[in-house]
Amino acid sequence: MLFRSEEIDRFNPDCLLVFKGAEILPRSILYANQKKILTANYNPDNPFIFISYGNGKRNISKTITTYRCHFTYNLETAKILKKINPNTFVIPFGVNSTATENDILPEHAEKLKVCFYGGPDKKRYEFLNLLAAHGIDIDLYGNGWKNKNLHDRISLFPEVTGENLGHLIRSYRIQLNILSLHNEQSHNMRSFEIPAHFGIQLAPKTVEHEDFFQNEVSIFLYDSLEDAVKIITRLSNLSYHDAIVLRRNSYIAAVKHSYKNRISNFSDILINLRNNDQLETT
């Protein structure tokens, strides 16, 4: 359902923060601007890349120049947005976790295998099959994989969500992260989710991953298939004690990236912009 200008009059907010923007028209944003309302957009995807294209995607494209400020999780996307609007800010993804060190599984319960959880796309499908072809056993959790021609070394399981996800993350020696088209040079929610649940993460080498974590201390970064295979072999052969150290390091690095801190950053920026309103109305 579209968000219309009448709703702006009904609530009369100081700020209109639009998530993605698939259900709002440019004229509604322009109307809010005319009323001196601070209009802001946050898109947890890359707003310039669409897997499919419908009315919602058209609204995102048409409104992108009308907001008075933008938020994105992605440094590369921020560079493009800044050319449209210099009032662009980077707020990375975050995480909520109630995990404690007592939740780490005993040695006999740890699976010395690679785990990947999530849905399929072409890049994930190809990379998982290539890893398996190099002799890596993988447990795959998620929906949408049944019709895929998976390698014999890949075992498929149903999707795991909610409180059970933390247990799944800790159950395996290695949690694999594969970035999608929207964030292939950036990070994703798994980037913080895995370490916040005491998981050992193997993820693509990106500027943002290198900024958030210390390679080979709180994360393991690969830049090629061969690199990933070598790291998996090394991590699989670590002692349980050394793996515990890595799990602790990962958790310590992740907890500062809480959603509470992200919301505080959002709020501080919006309040500052509102109190020092020098933004030009489109």
Side-chain angles (χ1 to χ4, degrees), residues 51-202:
I51 306 301
S52 60
Y53 204 78
N55 289 333
K57 307 300 189 296
R58 280 191 284 271
N59 289 339
I60 292 172
S61 296
K62 288 180 179 179
T63 58
I64 202 164
T65 60
T66 62
Y67 296 100
R68 301 175 74 194
C69 64
H70 284 272
F71 294 90
T72 179
Y73 69 97
N74 185 325
L75 290 174
E76 291 302 313
T77 302
K79 291 178 183 178
I80 301 172
L81 285 170
K82 280 181 180 290
K83 295 177 181 178
I84 298 171
N85 187 337
N87 295 296
T88 294
F89 306 90
V90 177
I91 303 286
F93 290 128
V95 69
N96 281 336
S97 173
T98 58
T100 69
E101 193 166 326
N102 291 333
D103 295 320
I104 297 176
L105 273 64
E107 184 172 5
H108 68 83
E110 183 188 28
K111 300 175 183 177
L112 298 179
K113 297 177 69 177
V114 173
C115 173
F116 179 79
Y117 61 92
D121 64 23
K122 184 174 184 291
K123 184 178 179 181
R124 290 173 174 178
Y125 168 71
E126 291 178 350
F127 193 75
L128 289 171
N129 266 353
L130 286 170
L131 278 177
H134 279 71
I136 304 299
D137 292 320
I138 302 167
D139 283 356
L140 172 59
Y141 293 79
N143 298 327
W145 292 96
K146 285 186 177 180
N147 296 326
K148 302 295 182 182
N149 186 23
L150 296 172
H151 193 281
D152 290 343
R153 285 186 176 272
I154 300 175
S155 300
L156 182 58
F157 300 92
E159 180 184 23
V160 174
T161 59
E163 295 181 0
N164 293 326
L165 181 59
H167 183 270
L168 174 73
I169 289 171
R170 291 184 291 273
S171 296
Y172 287 84
R173 172 62 59 88
I174 303 155
Q175 287 291 340
L176 178 64
N177 192 350
I178 307 170
L179 299 177
S180 68
L181 180 64
H182 279 283
N183 46 30
E184 62 182 355
Q185 298 300 322
S186 180
H187 70 286
N188 59 14
M189 294 179 70
R190 262 183 216 83
S191 301
F192 302 115
E193 192 171 62
I194 292 170
H197 289 286
F198 290 92
I200 299 173
Q201 178 174 195
L202 175 61

Side-chain angles (χ1 to χ4, degrees), residues 11-65:
F11 292 103
N12 194 29
D14 293 322
C15 172
L16 180 63
L17 176 59
V18 178
F19 183 79
K20 286 194 175 182
E23 297 179 342
I24 193 166
L25 297 174
R27 63 174 177 265
S28 297
I29 301 298
L30 294 172
Y31 181 70
N33 288 341
Q34 291 167 6
K35 290 176 67 69
K36 303 298 183 182
I37 295 168
L38 176 59
T39 54
N41 177 261
Y42 176 73
N43 197 327
D45 293 325
N46 187 323
F48 305 105
I49 297 176
F50 299 123
I51 306 301
S52 60
Y53 204 78
N55 289 333
K57 307 300 189 296
R58 280 191 284 271
N59 289 339
I60 292 172
S61 296
K62 288 180 179 179
T63 58
I64 202 164
T65 60

